């Protein structure tokens, strides 16, 4: 960002640790990112309330959009991976994950919000823990006696090899899964935010601070900023889809017949 010294200073990681906006020095302290999260959740609840309050056999445009979004999760994720029975059973949690991640991701390109609610570890970590608990619950519910045994001691492996295989299976199944879910979501949104801030703050610097012909560089940085805004919309949708999809995959693996 440009400052009074006439030099350009790019965005820093400090943007993800803003100071308090409301209720400072209380247990209910709210900063900018918390406020963005509240706005995203409120918008999500409002959208579904408006889309479902007057359900019709022949849906209107708004109801059709909501039903189309729900069908993405129901058909393309839940039923495709888990089948009709288990898909219906885990549909509420998969739907909640998809739309919560989507709405908190999309705030990164909304004017006056300009940061994703998932770009700080809190929300990604909570959702990853929910995913973790869900697939373990699914596996234990399906096969209380054999879930952990089959997860850590896969069939067909010679007993001496379990000395190597079991620690690897434990780390990959019970540690790496929640860690990668958290980091994949958070880091994509951090990088996206930093790129957008870089391009648009550079545009402001070139147009209003840079001398002479350097102002023309603002056209290029503006073009890149607009292009990356469109790309961030794609990333927001894709990361929501991937998070729900991987959760469904983990559930599917947990309820597989060998468990």
């Amino acid at each position: 960002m440009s400052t009074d010294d006439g030099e350009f200073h790019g965005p820093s990681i400090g943007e993800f640790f803003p100071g308090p906006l409301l209720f400072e020095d209380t247990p209910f302290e709210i900063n900018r990112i918390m406020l963005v999260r509240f706005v995203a959740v409120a918008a999500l609840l409002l959208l579904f309330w408006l889309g479902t309050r007057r359900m019709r056999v022949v849906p209107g445009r708004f109801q059709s959009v909501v039903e189309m979004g729900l069908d993405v999760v129901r058909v393309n994720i839940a039923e495709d991976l888990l089948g009709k029975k288990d898909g219906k059973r885990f549909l509420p949690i998969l739907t909640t994950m998809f739309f919560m991640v989507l709405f908190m991701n999309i705030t990164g390109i909304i004017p006056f919000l300009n940061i994703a609610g998932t770009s700080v570890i809190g929300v990604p970590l909570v959702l990853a823990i929910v995913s973790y608990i869900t697939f373990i619950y699914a596996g234990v519910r399906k096969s209380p006696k054999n879930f952990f045994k089959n997860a850590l001691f896969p069939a067909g492996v010679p007993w001496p090899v379990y000395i190597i295989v079991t620690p690897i299976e434990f780390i990959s199944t019970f540690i790496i899964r929640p860690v990668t879910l958290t980091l994949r979501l958070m880091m994509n949104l951090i990088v996206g935010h930093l790129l957008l801030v870089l391009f648009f703050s550079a545009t402001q610097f070139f147009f209003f601070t840079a001398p002479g012909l350097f102002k023309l560089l603002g056209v290029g940085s503006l073009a890149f900023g607009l292009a990356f805004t469109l790309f961030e919309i794609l990333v927001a949708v894709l990361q929501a889809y991937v998070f729900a999809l991987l959760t469904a995959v983990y559930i599917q693996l947990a309820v597989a017949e060998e468990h």
Side-chain angles (χ1 to χ4, degrees), residues 14-229:
E15 294 192 28
F16 300 96
F17 303 96
L21 289 177
L22 301 170
F23 311 121
E24 186 173 358
D25 296 326
T26 73
F28 307 102
E29 184 174 288
I30 296 174
N31 61 23
R32 178 186 167 206
I33 295 179
M34 287 297 299
L35 191 60
V36 165
R37 289 168 175 169
F38 288 141
V39 170
V41 171
L44 179 58
L45 294 174
L46 179 62
L47 174 71
F48 276 98
W49 179 72
L50 292 175
T52 59
R53 62 180 178 147
R54 295 178 181 174
M55 300 291 287
R56 300 176 182 176
V57 177
V58 180
R61 291 183 180 179
F62 196 70
Q63 183 182 332
S64 296
V65 171
V66 173
E67 289 181 354
M68 188 183 306
L70 292 172
D71 281 343
V72 168
V73 184
R74 181 177 63 84
V75 177
N76 297 336
I77 298 178
E79 292 183 358
D80 275 2
L81 288 168
L82 302 174
K84 293 278 187 180
K85 182 180 177 182
D86 284 328
K88 182 178 181 180
R89 191 167 140 223
F90 292 101
L91 181 61
I93 197 163
L94 294 174
T95 302
T96 301
M97 284 183 173
F98 176 83
F99 284 100
M100 185 175 176
V101 173
L102 175 61
F103 272 64
M104 289 206 178
N105 285 354
I106 211 72
T107 57
I109 54 102
I110 302 296
F112 305 111
L113 298 180
N114 298 118
I115 196 166
T118 46
S119 60
V120 176
I121 197 169
V123 169
L125 180 59
V126 168
L127 290 174
I129 291 172
V130 171
S131 173
Y132 181 78
I133 293 172
T134 301
F135 85 76
I136 291 177
Y137 162 81
V140 172
R141 179 74 181 270
K142 178 75 174 181
S143 182
K145 296 181 179 180
N146 296 323
F147 171 66
F148 289 104
K149 174 180 174 292
N150 289 326
L152 298 176
F153 301 92
V157 177
W159 275 103
V161 182
Y162 283 131
I163 298 173
I164 299 173
V165 170
T166 298
I168 293 174
E169 290 295 325
F170 174 77
I171 293 171
S172 64
T173 301
F174 298 105
I175 296 178
I176 291 180
R177 284 182 184 179
V179 170
T180 54
L181 278 175
T182 302
L183 294 181
R184 180 187 295 108
L185 177 58
M186 182 183 71
M187 296 307 297
N188 272 282
L189 276 299
I190 286 177
V191 171
H193 174 77
L194 291 176
L195 283 172
L196 288 179
V197 172
L198 176 64
F199 286 125
F200 286 119
S201 59
T203 299
Q204 181 182 10
F205 172 78
F206 287 130
F207 281 160
F208 300 106
T209 306
L213 294 177
F214 283 106
K215 292 183 183 296
L216 295 177
L217 295 175
V219 176
S221 61
L222 177 61
F224 276 110
L226 295 175
F228 269 90
T229 298

